[in-house]
Amino acid sequence: MALKLAIVYYSSTGTNYKLAKMAEEAGKANGAEVKVMKVQELAPESAINGNPLWKAHVEATKDVPVVTLDDLQWADAVLFSMPTRFGNVPAQMKQFLDTTGGLWFQGKLINKVVSAMTSAQNDHGGQEATILSLYTTMYHWGAIIAAPGYTDPVLFTTGGNPYGTSVTVDQEGNMTRDVQPAVAHQVKRMLEIAAKING
C-alpha cells in the first residue's frame, strides 16, 4: 500500500503553490499517493482585486480542491505550506486548523506525520517563527513532526532552515534560491518516517 501524502497550502500570489507542486513531484517520485489542496480563501474580494498578482493566482488555481477534514483522516502524512504573516500562520490556514477540534477530540490526528514550509519577502521575515507556530497545533494533535533538521547537506545550500523549507521572494515574486532540493529531501524524510510508523 502506497503512503498517502496530503499537501495543504495557502498561497496568495503563488509562491507556496509552487512549493506545494515541488512537494507533489517529490511525493510521487517516492511512491506516495499525493493530494494537493488549498485552504479556503478568506480575504475580501476588494483586497484580492487590488493586487494583480493575487487576483491572477486565485484565477489560475480556481480548480485546485479545497482541503476538508476527510482529507486529513485519509492522509498518513501532511505537509503544510504557507507564507508568513508577521511571523505567524496566515488567518486562512489558522481558520482551517481551528476546525480540526472534532478530529483531535476523537484521536484521529494522533501519529500523523507532519512537516511545514513557508516563504517571506525578507531573509529574516518570520519564516522560522511561522513554522514553529504551526507546529504548536501539531503538538496538540499528537502528531509526529518530521522536521528536516540537518539530515542532508542540501540544507546548507538552500537556506539551512532545520524546521522546514523556507524561501525568500523578491519584489516580483521570484524565489531567490532554488529550494527544490530541500523540498525533495523534506518530503522523502517525511515519507520514510511515515513508513516506519505505518509499517
Side-chain angles (χ1 to χ4, degrees):
M1 289 286 290
L3 289 168
K4 298 184 285 291
L5 171 64
I7 301 168
V8 179
Y9 78 92
Y10 173 69
S11 195
S12 52
T13 57
T15 301
N16 285 274
Y17 175 68
K18 291 174 188 170
L19 291 173
K21 296 302 281 184
M22 289 179 197
E24 178 185 31
E25 183 180 339
K28 289 179 177 177
N30 283 279
E33 183 181 349
V34 184
K35 289 183 183 181
V36 175
M37 296 153 291
K38 62 189 175 189
V39 295
Q40 186 68 53
E41 180 59 83
L42 303 176
E45 205 168 302
S46 58
I48 295 169
N49 291 339
N51 181 329
L53 290 175
W54 195 351
K55 183 178 180 181
H57 179 67
V58 167
E59 181 63 25
T61 56
K62 64 184 178 190
D63 294 330
V64 176
V66 173
V67 66
T68 70
L69 296 178
D70 288 342
D71 295 316
L72 291 184
Q73 289 193 78
W74 168 85
D76 300 308
V78 185
L79 177 60
F80 296 93
S81 192
M82 68 263 140
T84 182
R85 291 291 184 265
F86 303 111
N88 212 324
V89 176
Q92 292 86 343
M93 183 66 74
K94 183 65 166 61
Q95 191 275 338
F96 173 68
L97 295 175
D98 285 348
T99 70
T100 64
L103 293 181
W104 164 81
F105 184 76
Q106 298 168 56
K108 296 196 175 188
L109 300 172
I110 293 170
N111 291 342
K112 297 285 184 185
V113 174
V114 299
S115 202
M117 307 184 292
T118 192
S119 65
Q121 286 192 337
N122 301 294
D123 286 337
H124 303 287
Q127 290 99 324
E128 293 179 358
T130 297
I131 291 174
L132 292 172
S133 295
L134 181 122
Y135 287 166
T136 299
T137 298
M138 304 299 106
Y139 297 133
H140 285 258
W141 282 8
I144 308 298
I145 294 173
Y150 293 107
T151 54
D152 190 281
V154 73
L155 271 296
F156 295 100
T157 60
T158 55
N161 189 336
Y163 307 107
T165 302
S166 66
V167 68
T168 303
V169 293
D170 63 22
Q171 292 298 315
E172 286 73 49
N174 302 305
M175 297 186 196
T176 60
R177 276 195 174 101
D178 176 14
V179 294
Q180 190 277 334
V183 174
H185 173 67
Q186 186 169 352
V187 169
K188 181 181 178 188
R189 178 165 161 75
M190 284 184 74
L191 293 172
E192 287 173 348
I193 292 169
K196 290 178 182 178
I197 290 170
N198 292 281

